[in-house]
Amino acid sequence: MTGTLYGVGLGPGDPELMTVKAARLISEASVIAYHCARHGRSIARSVAEPYLREGQIEEKLVYPVTTETTDHPGGYEGAIADFYELSAKRLAEHLDAGRDVVLLCEGDPFFYGSYMYMHERLSGRFEAVVVPGVTSVSAASSVFGRPLVQRDEVLTVLPGTLPAPELARRLADTDAAAVLKLGRTFSSVREAFAEAGKLDDAVYVERATWGQQRVEPLASVDPSTVPYFSLALLPSPAYASRQSSPASPPAAAPSAGEVVVVGLGPAGPEWLTPEAASELDAAEHIVGYGPYVARVPQKAGQQRHASGNRVEADRAREALSLAASGSRVAVVSSGDPGVFAMASAVLEQVSAGHGTGVRVRIVPGVTAAQAAASRVGAPLGHDYCVLSLSDRLKPWEIIEKRLDAAGAADLVLALYNPASRTRTAQLADARAVLLRHRSADTPVVVARDVGGPEEDIRITTLGELDPATVDMRCLLIVGSSRTRSDNGIVWTPRSY
């Protein structure tokens, strides 16, 4: 009969914060395993020591490297992978012999814990039981004496090894946060908090619940003094606001601010106009669909309000409300905000009575149609029509009537929103309508993710167009009777 592998969470460091089950398993196990550095000392063992007994077998899993400097032919990752394989074999020998093995893990075994690497190698062969432990995040919050989150607030847990710009973006998008794995990453982490405009609200917690714990403002910490067992904490903003000084007499109502609807272009920063970049830099709030907000460079103090793809009206009202309190707000759209995007959504809410007194401006961007056309030549060189095939906001009967009219008028067509996971028939129907007026050899450009990492530009014909190869990230340009295609170049002459 084989033994059982136990991944036992020890909590944050104070032996009294270990669970009763963890203490019992440690005292009963035949084998106690723990990770340690080459000096042989183990933090995990020191926490579990009050519960150890004589006669237990101790397996020291000694890390071959503690930094990314190594002579291993596979580099640091190769050295660590070999170490985990060897460690798993050592533990498997005990398990095969019928001995239960407790693998000690600081904090919680499945929360950035070292145990998980043994679990994935051994749980398929042996019974594996995980005993959760109090995490360092909970411990840090308790020793600081402030709630992490409350009510509808969002907590984000981040590794400090992320690049500073990515950390800053995520910190700006959340209410509360914990950033782990500091040590050598501390300077980058502090920079990210500053970029997100949240450095003054953040606290540094080192060795929470240990005898030598340290708690102080993140901004005042000397990077050279930061060990690995520390974290940066951004606690509940709602709690902080209630603990502020007593309310002063109400101030006069602020004058209304401004909403600027900004076009980001079809992809990365190279498509952003200088005017758009300037408006984004000047904004106090960035409002938009999540992936579009993520494309805006982070700026210290700037607040970001990301939302889903189907809440344009809610997004517009939120922006107008922020501006009504005196703020300068940028609402972002991909491409040009006036082309099937947020400009009309914002103006529609203004006409409904929202944002009284708020000034609204529109800053154009490069459209998807322009970007796609540039990749193949000049298919939009003469009169053209822009249509969305989405019937979410207008009935298909209207779309079909307009397609028929544009086809009869011999206009080039730029077709937005050609298909999605739930809309699979519209493009085939549109193709059938256009074939009433166009020959089957009419050039068609299928442009996907223009300017992005998955850019794909295909030139086909109306007769050979396969709707199954088109998704929501595509834009189609369907030529007129005058449009020409030759050796990958598509253009529409300016004269008849």
Side-chain angles (χ1 to χ4, degrees):
M1 183 175 178
T2 59
T4 299
L5 173 67
Y6 294 94
V8 174
L10 303 176
D14 182 349
E16 293 186 344
L17 290 177
M18 197 183 306
T19 65
V20 173
K21 183 173 184 178
R24 176 179 62 80
L25 289 172
I26 291 170
S27 65
E28 294 176 351
S30 302
V31 180
I32 302 295
Y34 48 84
H35 294 85
C36 63
R38 287 175 175 171
H39 51 57
R41 297 185 298 276
S42 166
I43 294 172
R45 188 193 185 284
S46 68
V47 176
E49 187 170 11
Y51 307 101
L52 299 177
R53 60 176 172 80
E54 291 187 9
Q56 288 176 309
I57 300 170
E58 295 192 18
E59 282 286 356
K60 293 183 179 180
L61 308 179
V62 182
Y63 283 112
V65 289
T66 54
T67 69
E68 295 187 5
T69 301
T70 176
D71 294 329
H72 191 283
Y76 175 80
E77 294 297 334
I80 289 296
D82 286 351
F83 162 68
Y84 287 138
E85 290 295 333
L86 178 60
S87 298
K89 289 179 181 177
R90 290 172 58 187
L91 299 187
E93 291 176 1
H94 292 294
L95 295 167
D96 279 327
R99 293 186 284 269
D100 291 343
V101 176
V102 163
L103 178 53
L104 305 176
C105 186
E106 298 97 328
D108 182 273
F110 279 167
F111 187 77
Y112 294 113
S114 52
Y115 164 78
M116 65 183 70
Y117 301 106
M118 295 299 98
H119 187 87
E120 68 184 29
R121 287 168 170 81
L122 297 172
S123 61
R125 297 169 51 195
F126 307 98
E127 182 181 2
V129 177
V130 177
V131 180
V134 177
T135 69
S136 59
V137 176
S138 298
S141 176
S142 68
V143 301
F144 182 47
R146 289 266 297 275
L148 272 173
V149 280
Q150 51 192 316
R151 296 180 66 85
D152 296 328
E153 290 177 336
V154 174
L155 170 68
T156 302
V157 179
L158 299 162
T161 49
L162 288 176
E166 177 67 8
L167 270 176
R169 181 184 71 79
R170 292 176 181 265
L171 287 169
D173 284 344
T174 192
D175 300 307
V179 183
L180 287 68
K181 302 179 183 290
L182 296 189
R184 291 178 298 155
T185 71
F186 179 80
S187 295
S188 175
V189 169
R190 187 166 63 182
E191 176 188 341
F193 272 93
E195 281 295 310
K198 296 185 176 181
L199 180 58
D200 292 341
D201 300 320
V203 64
Y204 169 83
V205 182
E206 177 183 316
R207 296 185 171 94
T209 77
W210 297 18
Q212 63 273 43
Q213 72 182 22
R214 174 185 171 197
V215 181
E216 61 182 270
L218 188 70
S220 64
V221 175
D222 178 358
S224 66
T225 67
V226 175
Y228 182 82
F229 286 97
S230 57
L231 59 80
L233 197 67
L234 184 67
S236 165
Y239 181 87
S241 67
R242 292 199 300 272
Q243 300 304 306
S244 59
S245 56
S248 53
S255 57
E258 179 180 52
V259 169
V260 184
V261 191
V262 179
L264 301 178
E270 66 273 16
W271 297 90
L272 192 67
T273 68
E275 181 187 18
S278 176
E279 294 293 349
L280 294 175
D281 184 66
E284 298 168 275
H285 298 267
I286 303 293
V287 176
Y289 175 41
Y292 301 157
V293 171
R295 284 167 48 185
V296 178
Q298 185 64 56
K299 179 189 174 185
Q302 195 175 66
Q303 298 184 47
R304 299 153 80 89
H305 310 264
S307 52
N309 193 30
R310 296 196 173 190
V311 291
E312 291 93 344
D314 293 342
R315 195 151 52 228
R317 286 192 293 270
E318 180 181 23
L320 291 166
S321 176
L322 290 167
S325 66
S327 297
R328 189 167 184 172
V329 183
V331 177
V332 294
S333 279
S334 180
D336 183 277
V339 180
F340 305 121
M342 283 303 300
S344 59
V346 171
L347 294 175
E348 184 176 0
Q349 294 306 310
V350 170
S351 71
H354 297 281
T356 302
V358 172
R359 181 187 179 198
V360 177
R361 291 189 293 114
I362 315 299
V363 175
V366 176
T367 71
Q370 292 168 330
S374 72
R375 291 298 200 237
V376 297
L380 306 180
H382 209 307
D383 300 335
Y384 67 94
C385 171
V386 178
L387 277 174
S388 170
L389 295 190
S390 172
D391 56 0
R392 187 169 68 88
L393 298 175
K394 62 180 182 291
W396 176 254
E397 292 75 15
I398 296 294
I399 298 172
E400 185 173 11
K401 184 183 295 186
R402 291 175 178 175
L403 281 167
D404 190 63
D410 199 24
L411 293 170
V412 175
L413 286 95
L415 300 179
Y416 283 66
N417 308 316
S420 70
R421 283 176 293 183
T422 58
R423 292 188 300 104
T424 57
Q426 283 85 342
L427 181 55
D429 292 344
R431 174 176 172 272
V433 171
L434 293 175
L435 281 171
R436 299 173 193 166
H437 309 281
R438 307 280 164 88
S439 66
D441 60 0
T442 300
V444 175
V445 178
V446 182
R448 187 177 190 277
D449 191 32
V450 179
E454 299 179 13
E455 178 176 307
D456 179 47
I457 309 295
R458 291 181 289 118
I459 300 172
T460 183
T461 64
L462 193 58
E464 296 179 351
L465 174 64
D466 181 3
T469 65
V470 176
D471 61 23
M472 192 65 175
R473 299 180 67 187
C474 294
L475 178 133
L476 273 61
I477 299 177
V478 181
S480 70
S481 64
R482 300 284 295 165
T483 304
R484 302 289 179 260
S485 177
D486 184 25
N487 294 323
I489 302 298
V490 181
W491 79 101
T492 303
R494 294 183 61 193
S495 60
Y496 270 73

